[in-house]
Amino acid sequence: MARNFNTNVHFHDIPDAILSSIFSLITDTRSRNAMSLVCLKWHLIERSTRTCLSLRGNIRDLFLLPTCFRAVTNLDLSLVSPWGRPILDSSPNTTLLAQVLHYTFPSVVTLTVYARNPSILHLLAPQWPNLRQIKLVRWHMRSPTTLGSDFLALFEHCHSLASLDLSHFYCWTEDLPPALEAYPSIAASLSHLNVLNYTSADQGFKSHEILAITSACPNLREFLAACVFDHRYIGFVGDETLLSLATNCPRLSLLHLVDSSSLSAARGDPDNDGYTTEDARIRQTMLIEMFSALPLLEELVLDVCHNVRDTWVALEMLNSKCPRLKSLKLGQFHGICKGIDARPDGISLCSRLESLSIKNCADLTDSGLISISLGCPRLTKFEVQGCKKITKLGMTKLASILRKTLTEVKISCCKNLNTVTSLQALEPIRDCLQRLHIDCVWEMVEQSGSEATSSAKYDGFKCSDKRRGIWEDANLKKKYKKYNDNENGYASSTWAKLQCLSLWIAVGELLNPLVLAGLDDCPMLEEIRIKVEGDCRHQSRLSPDGFGLSSLRCYPRLSKMHIDCQAAIGYALTAPSGHADLSPWERFYLNGIGRLNLTELNYWPPQDIDYNKRSLSLPAAGLLAQCRTMRKLFVHGTANEHFMTFLLKVETLRDVQLREDYYPAPENDNSTEMRIDSCSRFEDALNRRAIPD
C-alpha cells in the first residue's frame, strides 16, 4: 500500500550542515549577495561560508570593516581605492590598522596586496604568519632600497609560504635570488614561483639568476619566468642552463620560460618569413636530456623568440620522456613536424596533449596540421600564431578531425588566414566552439588553383576601400550563407556555444564587417575583447560613423567587453597640423557603445609614447555616460575629476575604478587629474545614489 508522505517540507527544514555545503558551492559574488538578502539565517550562513573576498572600498574606511567574514581564506587587498596607494597610509596608526585587518580576517592563507613599498609587508606579514600563497602587485617604480628588501619581511614571518606570484610586481631581477638564499628554509618550501613579469617587458632573468633561484628552490612544482635567450647578451639562457634547471628542480609539473621580448603585446608582421636573424643556443640533444630530467611535466611553455631548428626529433622524445604532458606551447620552434603523407611524427606523437599553441613556426604546413590533428585526438584548445604557410584547407581539415573535442581556437598573424577564411575554416566546429580569437583583416587572400577559381565567383568579399575595410555589396550576407551551404556542406550556421570572442584590429579599420563575415548568429556570446594596435599619427582621416560598436547589437547576451587601445599610439597634447590628437580617436572607438546593453567594461585609453600618462578624454567620458545598463567600469588610466562626474548619470553604475596598471605608473598626478581627494569625492557621490537593483 502506498505510504502518504508529508509534502509540506520547507527549505529551512534542511539541516544547517547541508545548507552550508550548498552555499559553499556558490561562487558568483552577486548570487551570494542576493542570497544573503533572503533572510537573517541565509545572511549568517552566506557570511560564514564565504572563503574568497576582494575589498573594493576606500582605504580611509578600512576601520569600518565588518567582522562577519571570518571564514575568508583568500583575501585580495590590491584593488582598494584609490588604486595603487599604500593601503595602510590612510591611518595615523598603521600598526593598529594592520591588526584590525587580522582581527577581521583571521583565517587568511592566500593574500593579494599592492605592495608599493616594503613597509606594507613589514606591517601585514606578521598578522598572517600562516600565509601559504601570496601575490604581490606593483606598477610603480621600485623604491631605492637594498636588493631583496621587498621580500625580507615576508620570508621572515611567513614560514609556511608555498606559493609566490610576482607576475605583476615590478622589481629588479637581482632582487629575488639574494632574498631566497638568505632564507633557505622558505626557498625550499616553495612549490610555486611566478616571476613571469609583465610590468617590465624589457628585462628578463639571466642564466646565473635562473640557476640561483632553482638551486635555492629544489622542490618547485610550478616555475614561470621571463628569460634572456638572445646569445648576444651576457648571461643569456642556453641549453646548458635549461638542463641545469631541470636537474635542480626534477619535480616540476609546470614550466614556463618566455623570452622577455615576447611579453610585449605587439603583433608580428604577417609578411615576415618567420625566421629571426639569430638562432638560439639550444641543441636538440640537450633538449632531450632536459625532457628526460622532468618526468612529471604536465605543462610546458618555451617561447624563446630565436630560431630553434629541426626540433621534431626532440619533440618525439618529449612524448616518451614526459608521459603526463597535457599542455604545450612553443615559440620560434621550427621543424616541429615533417608532415609527410600526414603521418604522425614530431609533435604530433604527443598524443595526450589537450592544449597546443604554436607560435612563429616558419615551416608548418597544412600537412603538418593534419598530422597534428590525427596524432593529438584529445586537443580541446589549439592556437596558431605567425605561421605563414598554413591555409584554410589545413585548418578546415584540423577542425573536422577534432570536431568532437575542440572548444577553444586562436588564429593570429597567419598570412593566408584572414577573417573570412578563418571563419570558413572553423565551420566544422562552429556549433562547438566556446572561445575564439581571430584577427580583423578584411581583404581576401590571393588563392591558387581551384580555390582561386572558386573565390573569383565571390568578389563581394573583397573590400572596396582597403584601409577602412567596408564591404559595399548589400547582398554580401546572403551570398556568404549560400556559399557556406553549397560549398562546405555543414548544416549549422549558428555559433551555438560561443561565449567569448577576442579580436585584434589595426588602427583605422572598422568593426562593421565582422557580422557580415559570418559571426552574425551567436546566441550565447557574453564577452568580447577588442585589441586595437597601430600608429594613429599616420592616419589622415576618421570615419564620421565611428568604429562600429553599434554593429554588435546583434548579440543578444553580450554584457562584458574589453576595449584595449593602449597599443594605439597618438598625440596626447596638441597634434601637428592635419593630424588628430587622441581625443577624436577616443570618440571614434567609443561611438555607439551606449547602444549596447553592457554591464561590465574594461577600457584602456590610447597613449602617447612620449607622454607617460593614459587619460580619459572629454568625448570618451561623455560616451561612456550613455551606457545605461553599466554596473562595472574599470578605466586603465587616469581622468579629470570633472569628466568622471558624467558617469554619475548612469543609474545602474555600482563599481568604478581608475587603474594605472602600466609601467611606470605615475608617481604624482597633475592637479587636473584624479587625486586621492578627488577619488573620494567621486566615490561618495556614487554611493549616495539609489541603485535600482
Side-chain angles (χ1 to χ4, degrees):
M1 184 174 63
R3 302 177 61 181
N4 294 324
F5 292 94
N6 183 11
T7 58
N8 297 323
V9 179
H10 195 274
F11 194 79
H12 286 309
D13 296 332
I14 298 177
D16 289 349
I18 298 178
L19 198 59
S20 297
S21 299
I22 295 174
F23 274 58
S24 300
L25 298 175
I26 308 298
T27 57
D28 181 67
T29 303
R30 288 204 68 194
S31 298
R32 294 190 67 100
N33 290 338
M35 292 162 57
S36 67
L37 299 176
V38 172
C39 62
L40 180 59
K41 180 179 180 179
W42 281 35
H43 174 83
L44 296 175
I45 294 178
E46 192 282 324
R47 295 298 188 255
S48 64
T49 57
R50 185 175 294 207
T51 58
C52 184
L53 186 67
S54 176
L55 288 188
R56 278 287 295 108
N58 197 290
I59 56 176
R60 63 178 182 178
D61 299 326
L62 284 177
F63 67 97
L64 298 175
L65 284 172
T67 59
C68 55
F69 294 103
R70 303 184 66 82
V72 167
T73 58
N74 187 337
L75 180 63
D76 188 348
L77 299 177
S78 65
L79 299 177
V80 292
S81 188
W83 183 91
R85 300 298 185 271
I87 186 174
L88 301 178
D89 286 5
S90 61
S91 172
N93 192 334
T94 56
T95 303
L96 178 60
L97 185 55
Q99 293 173 351
V100 169
L101 285 170
H102 171 256
Y103 176 77
T104 307
F105 308 107
S107 306
V108 170
V109 294
T110 301
L111 179 66
T112 303
V113 62
Y114 197 100
R116 186 162 174 175
N117 51 59
S119 63
I120 301 295
L121 290 178
H122 279 284
L123 292 168
L124 292 181
Q127 307 303 324
W128 293 296
N130 295 323
L131 279 179
R132 293 189 54 81
Q133 302 177 32
I134 188 165
K135 178 177 180 179
L136 303 182
V137 181
R138 180 171 66 194
W139 292 89
H140 288 83
M141 297 183 67
R142 178 187 180 277
S143 302
T145 55
T146 58
L147 291 179
S149 59
D150 287 308
F151 314 111
L152 296 184
L154 181 65
F155 293 165
E156 181 179 351
H157 296 282
C158 303
H159 302 291
S160 301
L161 197 64
S163 174
L164 179 60
D165 188 343
L166 304 177
S167 58
H168 293 90
F169 182 76
Y170 178 78
C171 62
W172 295 342
T173 58
E174 301 93 333
D175 279 320
L176 187 58
L180 292 173
E181 292 171 353
Y183 293 88
S185 61
I186 299 296
S189 67
L190 286 178
S191 61
H192 173 93
L193 179 60
N194 188 347
V195 288
L196 191 62
N197 204 314
Y198 292 93
T199 62
S200 53
D202 58 341
Q203 63 176 355
F205 285 88
K206 305 282 196 305
S207 175
H208 65 277
E209 295 167 340
I210 292 289
L211 295 180
I213 291 173
T214 54
S215 297
C217 308
N219 296 314
L220 282 178
R221 296 184 181 275
E222 299 179 355
F223 182 50
L224 304 89
C227 309
V228 177
F229 284 100
D230 192 340
H231 68 89
R232 294 171 293 183
Y233 288 88
I234 297 176
F236 72 93
V237 174
D239 50 17
E240 294 182 357
T241 306
L242 297 180
L243 181 58
S244 298
L245 182 155
T247 304
N248 292 339
C249 304
R251 301 180 183 179
L252 282 174
S253 63
L254 183 151
L255 177 61
H256 283 214
L257 296 179
V258 178
D259 190 88
S260 56
S261 61
S262 181
L263 296 178
S264 64
R267 181 176 180 263
D269 182 6
D271 295 323
N272 195 338
D273 63 0
Y275 292 99
T276 57
T277 56
E278 300 290 336
D279 289 356
R281 293 297 189 262
I282 300 177
R283 294 168 292 176
Q284 309 310 313
T285 54
M286 298 296 280
L287 273 179
I288 295 174
E289 292 185 35
M290 172 190 169
F291 298 153
S292 301
L294 297 173
L296 303 179
L297 202 61
E298 298 180 12
E299 183 173 341
L300 174 63
V301 174
L302 290 175
D303 189 356
V304 300
C305 288
H306 300 278
N307 300 322
V308 184
R309 302 176 185 267
D310 301 323
T311 58
W312 63 275
V313 175
L315 295 175
E316 285 184 352
M317 298 302 296
L318 175 63
N319 177 59
S320 58
K321 300 299 182 181
C322 305
R324 300 185 180 183
L325 190 68
K326 296 181 179 179
S327 178
L328 177 62
K329 179 177 181 179
L330 300 174
Q332 216 65 47
F333 275 55
H334 310 295
I336 62 174
C337 178
K338 293 186 294 184
I340 300 176
D341 297 329
R343 288 182 304 213
D345 67 285
I347 196 174
S348 61
L349 290 180
C350 299
S351 58
R352 289 173 291 271
L353 284 181
E354 298 176 4
S355 174
L356 176 61
S357 178
I358 303 172
K359 179 181 177 182
N360 296 335
C361 181
D363 53 4
L364 181 65
T365 62
D366 290 344
S367 180
L369 287 181
I370 298 172
S371 178
I372 290 172
S373 62
L374 293 173
C376 306
R378 302 181 183 180
L379 283 180
T380 61
K381 178 181 179 180
F382 182 71
E383 298 181 352
V384 61
Q385 180 177 350
C387 298
K388 319 301 177 183
K389 294 186 177 181
I390 63 174
T391 67
K392 169 189 168 184
L393 177 63
M395 281 301 302
T396 303
K397 291 290 186 181
L398 180 139
S400 300
I401 296 172
L402 298 175
R403 190 178 189 280
K404 294 182 178 180
T405 60
L406 210 55
T407 60
E408 183 173 350
V409 173
K410 176 179 179 180
I411 303 174
S412 178
C413 199
C414 296
K415 183 177 182 179
N416 299 310
L417 290 169
N418 60 16
T419 309
V420 174
T421 52
S422 296
L423 294 176
Q424 290 175 356
L426 296 176
E427 282 175 9
I429 55 173
R430 64 161 44 183
D431 59 340
C432 306
L433 274 183
Q434 299 177 12
R435 303 180 68 89
L436 172 64
H437 172 90
I438 56 173
D439 293 346
C440 294
V441 181
W442 305 128
E443 64 268 17
M444 287 295 291
V445 178
E446 293 295 334
Q447 299 174 338
S448 60
S450 61
E451 289 189 355
T453 304
S454 175
S455 65
K457 301 177 182 178
Y458 302 99
D459 289 335
F461 290 130
K462 296 186 179 181
C463 299
S464 59
D465 183 343
K466 182 177 179 180
R467 188 190 71 82
R468 291 164 56 186
I470 300 176
W471 286 325
E472 296 181 349
D473 187 352
N475 297 320
L476 175 63
K477 196 170 180 180
K478 294 181 180 179
K479 289 184 178 181
Y480 179 73
K481 287 186 175 180
K482 182 178 180 181
Y483 174 68
N484 289 343
D485 295 339
N486 294 340
E487 297 294 330
N488 298 314
Y490 299 111
S492 176
S493 61
T494 301
W495 302 81
K497 297 182 179 180
L498 187 63
Q499 299 176 4
C500 181
L501 176 63
S502 175
L503 304 170
W504 176 94
I505 190 167
V507 159
E509 295 287 343
L510 301 184
L511 196 61
N512 305 79
L514 178 67
V515 175
L516 300 177
L519 278 170
D520 56 320
D521 194 358
C522 304
M524 301 298 292
L525 186 61
E526 298 179 351
E527 181 177 0
I528 292 183
R529 302 186 175 207
I530 302 172
K531 180 173 181 59
V532 181
E533 182 180 339
D535 197 334
C536 303
R537 298 170 297 185
H538 297 161
Q539 303 292 327
S540 58
R541 57 192 176 92
L542 298 175
S543 170
D545 297 329
F547 180 47
L549 288 180
S550 58
S551 65
L552 304 179
R553 288 180 295 172
C554 63
Y555 305 128
R557 300 191 62 174
L558 181 62
S559 59
K560 299 179 181 179
M561 182 174 289
H562 287 207
I563 303 179
D564 186 354
C565 298
Q566 62 180 328
I569 309 301
Y571 297 103
L573 303 177
T574 304
S577 177
H579 296 270
D581 59 24
L582 291 179
S583 178
W585 279 102
E586 286 199 87
R587 180 190 294 112
F588 170 76
Y589 280 111
L590 293 177
N591 189 18
I593 195 171
R595 301 180 183 179
L596 306 178
N597 295 321
L598 298 179
T599 60
E600 182 175 332
L601 174 65
N602 279 263
Y603 174 61
W604 288 260
Q607 63 165 323
D608 187 334
I609 56 177
D610 298 324
Y611 182 66
N612 184 39
K613 187 170 292 185
R614 306 170 192 178
S615 183
L616 196 70
S617 65
L618 174 61
L623 290 169
L624 291 177
Q626 297 177 11
C627 300
R628 299 304 180 187
T629 59
M630 188 84 70
R631 284 191 60 87
K632 295 183 179 181
L633 173 62
F634 305 117
V635 178
H636 299 262
T638 185
N640 186 289
E641 181 180 1
H642 173 62
F643 298 165
M644 293 296 290
T645 58
F646 294 176
L647 302 175
L648 298 176
K649 301 177 183 178
V650 184
E651 296 180 355
T652 58
L653 196 59
R654 188 69 183 89
D655 193 0
V656 183
Q657 191 169 42
L658 301 176
R659 301 174 181 174
E660 299 167 316
D661 47 359
Y662 53 91
Y663 180 81
E667 293 291 335
N668 298 300
D669 291 335
N670 296 333
S671 60
T672 57
E673 304 293 332
M674 291 288 283
R675 303 178 301 280
I676 295 180
D677 293 339
S678 305
C679 183
S680 300
R681 286 193 294 267
F682 171 76
E683 290 180 350
D684 289 342
L686 188 69
N687 294 330
R688 281 196 297 265
R689 304 172 312 142
I691 306 298
D693 59 346

